[in-house]
Amino acid sequence: MNDLVPLKDFTPADLELWIQEAGQPAYRARQLLKWIYAQNVEDFQEMTDVSKDFRGWLEQHARIPSVMREKVLTDKDGTRKLLFRLLDGERIESVLIDEERRLTLCVSSQVGCALGCRFCLTGEQGYRRNLSAGEIVDQICAARRELGPEERITNLVFMGMGEPLANLQQVAKALEIITSDHGLNFSTRKVTLSTVGLVPEMLELSRLFPIKLAVSLHAADNETRSRIMPINRRYPLEELLEACRQLELPRRQRITFEYLLLAGVNDSSADARKLAKLLKGLRAKINLIPFNEYPGSPFKRPSPNRIEDFQKILQEKHYTATVRQSRGAGIMAACGQLTHSP
Ligand code: SAH
Ligand code: SF4
């Protein structure tokens, strides 16, 4: 199976090229794309309007799946954690989060992560490898297979394992497939990518796709941020926020700044005021994330009162500041709790 060409690694344009290079007419690429993405078929034999000969040829040369469903865990709050195995035996996770009018899929972009944020289980476990575009896209196709008849994935977030901008090449290819009407046909407004703020890649991404951006800020001064996020030594706050000011945002779109609340580290009222000052003039909204605890972590979640106070201070300064409900904590599927270990 390893030497078969993984079709979900191709953008629609690349698939057409590949089909033509194989001496097949271009319309066959469209036919294939329809079966793969609109019908979500994994077996060439189900492609009933494709000639038998061509189906046989495809079976010899290509494969559709890139991830294999291992199991699904469902939390009592309805959150589903999907565990996948990759062809080389690595494991990744995606999370389906069911909210009132939204069904959001959180996808992974790397096996592990090299950036080593102190509060993140994925980071603690280190980096294994980048995912291919097909492995990113196939998490969505596989998740769709888990849905009930009335369910539809409405939103996508790149907030699973890994730093998506550290794998920009494959992530960009995946976004092409995700947003193309010959691919998964998501509106760019329904896709959000979360990053620690790799500055050049952030600027490049915003030129390529008008998707929504979420920046993991987590501290309002360099000293605190460098202590919990080593990447801050490479791209300190001034540089990161300057890049945020330069981003060309679609009309009325704002940047989401994620702010993890760690008890006694960055959750004081003075921190909240510093944060408000730091984001002045930016088209920003703030998403407060109370720390999700996991075994072995030195950090603690602040009390509900502290969280509320922090939020109030930001709101008094006229920011939109929401508190992220931690979903899926019962099955270790909440932010920062994803792992590639079995
Ligand atoms: N690598 C990217 C995207 C994945 S993490 C990033 O860091 O932005 C998605 C969000 O979960 C980030 O804001 C991250 O800082 C946050 N997170 C990490 N560990 C967490 C934890 N233990 N509790 C709550 N949020 C956490
Ligand atoms: Fe990597 Fe994001 Fe975890 Fe930091 S928070 S270690 S960047 S996955």
Side-chain angles (χ1 to χ4, degrees):
M1 179 140 153
N2 275 321
D3 47 3
L4 298 175
V5 174
L7 294 186
K8 283 177 182 147
D9 275 350
F10 287 131
T11 63
D14 288 344
L15 184 74
E16 198 162 306
L17 273 178
W18 179 76
I19 287 282
Q20 281 175 316
E21 273 164 17
Q24 302 284 346
Y27 76 86
R28 294 206 142 145
R30 291 287 152 85
Q31 247 182 337
L32 260 179
L33 286 165
K34 208 183 88 224
W35 282 108
I36 295 175
Y37 293 113
Q39 305 293 334
N40 207 9
V41 151
E42 287 202 291
D43 180 349
F44 295 116
Q45 293 312 327
E46 288 177 43
M47 304 182 172
T48 44
D49 64 355
V50 174
S51 77
K52 236 184 156 153
D53 280 359
F54 185 46
R55 275 188 261 163
W57 182 87
L58 282 167
E59 259 175 1
Q60 302 278 308
H61 294 88
R63 66 178 154 86
I64 301 175
S66 283
V67 305
M68 285 161 290
R69 174 197 196 277
E70 213 165 56
K71 61 178 166 190
V72 175
L73 301 174
T74 305
D75 198 3
K76 51 185 182 309
D77 68 10
T79 303
R80 285 162 275 184
K81 179 159 85 165
L82 287 59
L83 285 87
F84 298 112
R85 200 153 39 80
L86 309 177
L87 246 57
D88 61 359
E90 295 286 3
R91 288 184 165 84
I92 53 165
E93 306 182 336
S94 319
V95 184
L96 264 173
I97 307 144
D98 207 341
E99 288 159 313
E100 234 165 84
R101 285 187 308 274
R102 282 200 293 214
L103 182 58
T104 302
L105 181 70
C106 174
V107 297
S108 293
S109 56
Q110 298 181 309
V111 186
C113 181
L115 296 182
C117 303
R118 303 282 180 247
F119 44 76
C120 172
L121 182 59
T122 308
E124 214 168 83
Q125 296 188 327
Y127 170 76
R128 308 271 303 175
R129 69 169 173 86
N130 278 331
L131 293 186
S132 66
E135 288 166 336
I136 297 171
V137 167
D138 206 23
Q139 293 172 59
I140 306 164
C141 303
R144 284 162 76 192
R145 257 178 229 114
E146 301 298 325
L147 303 179
E150 302 292 305
E151 286 186 309
R152 196 173 60 86
I153 297 171
T154 58
N155 295 65
L156 276 183
V157 295
F158 282 76
M159 295 190 187
M161 285 164 56
E163 165 52 47
L165 293 188
N167 183 17
L168 180 56
Q169 206 186 359
Q170 296 302 312
V171 166
K173 220 196 279 183
L175 284 170
E176 179 82 42
I177 301 164
I178 287 166
T179 57
S180 159
D181 47 3
H182 300 297
L184 287 167
N185 201 16
F186 276 86
S187 153
T188 51
R189 281 171 296 133
K190 300 290 183 184
V191 182
T192 304
L193 182 144
S194 173
T195 176
V196 287
L198 304 183
V199 166
E201 288 82 1
M202 228 169 76
L203 294 168
E204 189 178 342
L205 177 81
S206 81
R207 281 191 292 268
L208 295 173
F209 299 96
I211 59 168
K212 290 187 177 164
L213 202 64
V215 176
S216 292
L217 207 59
H218 306 341
D221 62 81
N222 281 320
E223 199 202 318
T224 311
R225 193 164 191 265
S226 294
R227 208 162 60 226
I228 56 176
M229 300 173 74
I231 192 68
N232 194 62
R233 299 198 192 105
R234 178 137 52 114
Y235 301 114
L237 282 170
E238 304 74 49
E239 198 176 330
L240 172 57
L241 292 172
E242 179 52 35
C244 291
R245 284 176 212 280
Q246 280 174 24
L247 290 181
E248 281 171 41
L249 298 179
R251 255 163 55 89
R252 286 208 291 266
Q253 191 163 300
R254 290 182 288 177
I255 303 176
T256 299
F257 289 93
E258 296 162 286
Y259 193 99
L260 182 65
L261 288 165
L262 303 165
V265 176
N266 64 358
D267 65 338
S268 70
S269 302
D271 287 316
R273 286 191 289 271
K274 230 186 314 183
L275 177 61
K277 205 164 156 202
L278 192 69
L279 297 182
K280 227 179 192 158
L282 269 155
R283 278 157 66 186
K285 55 185 169 185
I286 301 165
N287 193 210
L288 300 172
I289 317 176
F291 176 62
N292 292 313
E293 300 184 4
Y294 57 84
S297 165
F299 298 109
K300 291 269 170 288
R301 164 190 290 246
S303 70
N305 274 345
R306 191 84 286 281
I307 296 169
E308 206 178 302
D309 270 8
F310 199 97
Q311 181 183 26
K312 244 191 222 135
I313 293 171
L314 296 170
Q315 288 172 336
E316 278 162 12
K317 310 251 182 218
H318 308 292
Y319 285 99
T320 306
T322 49
V323 178
R324 187 180 295 176
Q325 299 306 323
S326 107
R327 305 287 308 268
I331 50 169
M332 285 285 286
C335 302
Q337 295 183 326
L338 300 185
T339 150
H340 51 75
S341 318

